[in-house]
Amino acid sequence: MLRESSMLSTATELSEQAPVLPTLMDETISLKSQGKKTVLYFFAPWCTICHASISNLQNIYQDNEELDVIAVALDYANEQEIAEFSAQHRLDFPIALGNEQVKAQFKVQGYPSYYVIDEQNTITAKSMGYSSELGLYLRAL
């Protein structure tokens, strides 16, 4: 289990430091809120816990118009691996192609890692590991 200090503080604001990444859809996306609470979901396509928990995140996204989700792929071999992960789980939220710089900036040390960002781009919650649909919903409130 990670100690609290190993992940970004919940007081961290992202507006000045939020990276812009390419997505699977050949667009770019900023890893910050666009006026809604946002869940940043850091995952690796080979991660079995990510495969087990991603449908919970998809359900939360579909059922809550006031919540955005951005998945950030890390530690992947190629884009095809990420595309297959997305297709397998029928994901319809943006999937950003992360890199080692983003992994270090967000202090991601395990998968999946979740950050909830409020409308002012302040991290309000964070966790790592499996999360149920209810657990994700309660963190994102």
Side-chain angles (χ1 to χ4, degrees), residues 4 6 8 14-15 18-21 24 30-31 40 64 66 74 85-86 92 97 99 101 113 120 122-123 128 133 141:
E4 185 71 21
S6 62
L8 286 181
L14 298 176
S15 57
V20 176
L21 297 173
L24 270 183
S30 176
L31 299 187
L40 295 181
N64 296 282
E66 68 279 359
L74 295 169
F85 180 94
S86 177
D92 62 1
L97 306 176
N99 53 43
Q101 181 180 356
S113 289
Q120 290 75 41
T122 300
I123 296 171
M128 186 178 72
E133 191 172 330
L141 286 178

Side-chain angles (χ1 to χ4, degrees), residues 4 27 34 42 45 73 96 109 129:
E4 185 71 21
E27 299 172 351
Q34 300 298 322
F42 296 92
Q109 296 184 356

Side-chain angles (χ1 to χ4, degrees), residues 22-28 79 97:
T23 70
L24 270 183
M25 305 309 273
D26 291 327
E27 299 172 351
T28 59
E79 286 184 35
L97 306 176

Side-chain angles (χ1 to χ4, degrees), residues 39 52-67 69 89-93 130-134 136-137:
V39 175
S53 67
I54 194 75
S55 63
N56 296 332
L57 189 62
Q58 178 65 39
N59 291 340
I60 290 289
Y61 177 69
Q62 286 177 329
D63 294 343
N64 296 282
E65 290 184 12
E66 68 279 359
L67 183 70
V69 170
H89 297 287
R90 298 185 176 132
L91 305 178
D92 62 1
F93 45 75
Y130 181 84
S131 189
S132 67
E133 191 172 330
L134 178 60
L136 284 168
Y137 181 74

Side-chain angles (χ1 to χ4, degrees), residues 1-12 40 42 104-110 112-116 123 125-129:
M1 188 85 189
L2 285 178
R3 292 185 313 266
E4 185 71 21
S5 62
S6 62
M7 295 180 85
L8 286 181
S9 163
T10 54
T12 303
L40 295 181
F42 296 92
Q105 182 177 350
F106 283 89
K107 300 180 181 178
V108 176
Q109 296 184 356
S113 289
Y114 306 84
Y115 289 86
V116 178
I123 296 171
K126 57 188 181 279
S127 64
M128 186 178 72

